[in-house]
């Protein structure tokens, strides 16, 4: 999540490049890297069922392509502050919805910690202002961000974090290219400059390939509710990168928000003892699936 937060400063260097085409380049590079790692590690083949394929398509459509569409459109009707505040509620939503999908009650400690994290993200982003349309679009981005995690949970035990990170990234590429053509026409197809290429290389290799794998590996170890707390570190990563690159100086709200997020994560991860249902393990604790079934490629 800290790596994802660095994308804010890097994205500022490609603001003049078509957004959806740029995202397609980013996810295409990430998919190529992740699939190369899967092949290099000689992971056992896995048969994709129709349900698996539908989940992967839904994940790509909502958590990747859909999230970007809503986010870009929201910036036309609301300021970054309001958008950041709404999307900053991800930890709270995951803390509530994640356990419910697993037919268990949300842990009070995790819910309380998520409230602190969401508050910190809101303070760091500022409450901003915007129109009703901007608010609705921001909520759409929030749904996409939540789907990015929740739709992956039933896939992780079978496919492992590498494949769950790679397959939706590959599927999202044609979706984003289609969105770019629909919204911007032929102007969306442009060869990136060398500086753009460097930025997309970082976004694809670090912010997407590496960060997505780390996130999904953590998700299967911690569960959506506890892992979701770390989504609040995105504004912290953005703050640290902004300082490191000399793009700005943090204000009081930035520091307070970062401290609240850190406190919330610490509260949520610290447990007085193992609960009655034992450690939460949505998937195997390490490694990849060992099934010898055959993978069907679409």
């Amino acid at each position: 999540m800290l790596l994802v937060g660095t994308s804010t400063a890097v994205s500022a260097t490609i603001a003049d490049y078509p957004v959806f085409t740029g995202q397609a380049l980013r996810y295409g590079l990430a998919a190529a890297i992740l699939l190369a790692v899967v092949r290099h590690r000689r992971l056992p083949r896995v048969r994709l069922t129709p349900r698996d394929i539908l989940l992967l398509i839904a994940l790509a459509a909502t958590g990747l392509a859909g999230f970007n569409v809503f986010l870009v459109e929201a910036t036309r009707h609301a300021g970054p502050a309001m958008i950041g505040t709404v999307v900053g509620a991800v930890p709270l939503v995951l803390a509530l919805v994640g356990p419910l999908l697993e037919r268990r009650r949300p842990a009070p400690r995790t819910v309380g910690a998520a409230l602190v994290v969401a508050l910190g993200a809101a303070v760091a982003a500022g409450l901003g202002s915007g129109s009703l349309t901007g608010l609705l679009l921001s909520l759409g981005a929030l749904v996409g961000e939540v789907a990015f995690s929740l739709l992956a949970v039933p896939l992780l035990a079978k496919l492992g974090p590498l494949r769950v990170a790679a397959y939706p990234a590959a599927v999202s590429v044609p979706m984003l290219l289609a969105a770019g053509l629909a919204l911007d026409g032929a102007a969306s197809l442009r060869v990136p400059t060398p500086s753009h290429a460097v930025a997309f290389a970082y976004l694809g290799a670090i912010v997407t390939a590496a960060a997505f794998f780390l996130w999904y590996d953590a998700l299967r170890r911690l569960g959506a509710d506890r892992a979701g707390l770390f989504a609040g570190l995105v504004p912290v990563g953005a703050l640290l990168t902004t300082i490191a690159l000399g793009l700005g100086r943090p204000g009081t709200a930035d520091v307070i928000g970062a401290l609240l997020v850190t406190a919330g994560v610490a509260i949520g991860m610290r447990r007085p003892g193992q609960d009655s249902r034992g450690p939460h393990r949505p998937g195997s604790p390490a490694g990849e699936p060992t099934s010898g079934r055959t993978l069907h490629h679409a």
Side-chain angles (χ1 to χ4, degrees):
M1 288 298 102
L2 286 172
L3 291 176
V4 171
T6 66
S7 65
T8 301
V10 176
S11 295
T13 66
I14 54 174
D16 58 339
Y17 190 83
V19 175
F20 297 108
T21 304
Q23 294 299 317
L25 292 173
R26 163 192 173 181
Y27 289 128
L29 174 60
I33 293 173
L34 290 165
L35 291 173
V37 174
V38 170
R39 183 178 181 85
H40 177 73
R41 292 187 60 184
R42 301 181 182 275
L43 297 179
R45 294 181 178 273
V46 179
R47 183 186 297 275
L48 292 177
T49 65
R51 176 177 179 270
D52 296 334
I53 294 173
L54 287 176
L55 283 172
L56 289 169
I57 293 174
L59 177 54
T62 58
L64 300 184
F67 172 78
N68 281 282
V69 170
F70 278 113
L71 193 65
V72 171
E73 289 300 307
T75 60
R76 301 179 180 179
H77 301 276
M82 192 189 82
I83 299 171
T85 300
V86 174
V87 178
V90 167
L92 178 59
V93 177
L94 289 178
L96 295 173
V97 179
L100 294 178
L101 292 179
E102 298 172 359
R103 298 180 180 179
R104 59 185 176 88
R105 290 184 300 176
R109 175 186 289 269
T110 306
V111 174
L115 285 171
V116 176
V117 172
L119 176 61
V123 171
L127 296 179
S129 61
S131 65
L132 176 60
T133 301
L135 174 61
L136 294 176
L137 290 169
S138 298
L139 289 173
L142 171 63
V143 171
E145 186 71 4
V146 172
F148 176 74
S149 294
L150 295 184
L151 289 176
V153 171
L155 294 167
L156 285 169
K158 177 178 180 179
L159 301 181
L162 276 173
R163 289 189 176 104
V164 174
Y167 293 170
V171 173
S172 70
V173 172
M175 296 180 180
L176 288 163
L177 289 175
L181 288 172
L183 295 174
D184 301 321
S188 65
L189 303 177
R190 188 199 309 173
V191 177
T193 65
S195 61
H196 288 153
V198 172
F200 288 131
Y202 175 80
L203 291 172
I206 305 301
V207 178
T208 307
F212 281 18
F213 165 73
L214 292 173
W215 176 250
Y216 283 139
D217 197 23
L219 189 64
R220 66 172 178 169
R221 295 170 185 266
L222 300 176
D225 49 349
R226 299 181 74 200
L229 296 172
F230 290 90
L233 293 177
V234 170
V236 178
L239 173 63
L240 294 176
T241 308
T242 300
I243 296 174
L245 297 180
L247 299 177
R249 299 180 62 182
T252 302
D254 297 317
V255 176
I256 293 175
L259 291 175
L260 284 171
V261 167
T262 303
V265 171
I267 293 171
M269 295 304 298
R270 181 182 180 184
R271 288 185 172 178
Q274 182 174 308
D275 59 9
S276 60
R277 54 184 184 81
H280 177 65
R281 296 184 181 274
S284 58
E288 294 289 330
T290 57
S291 168
R293 291 172 288 185
T294 303
L295 173 65
H296 283 188
H297 294 281

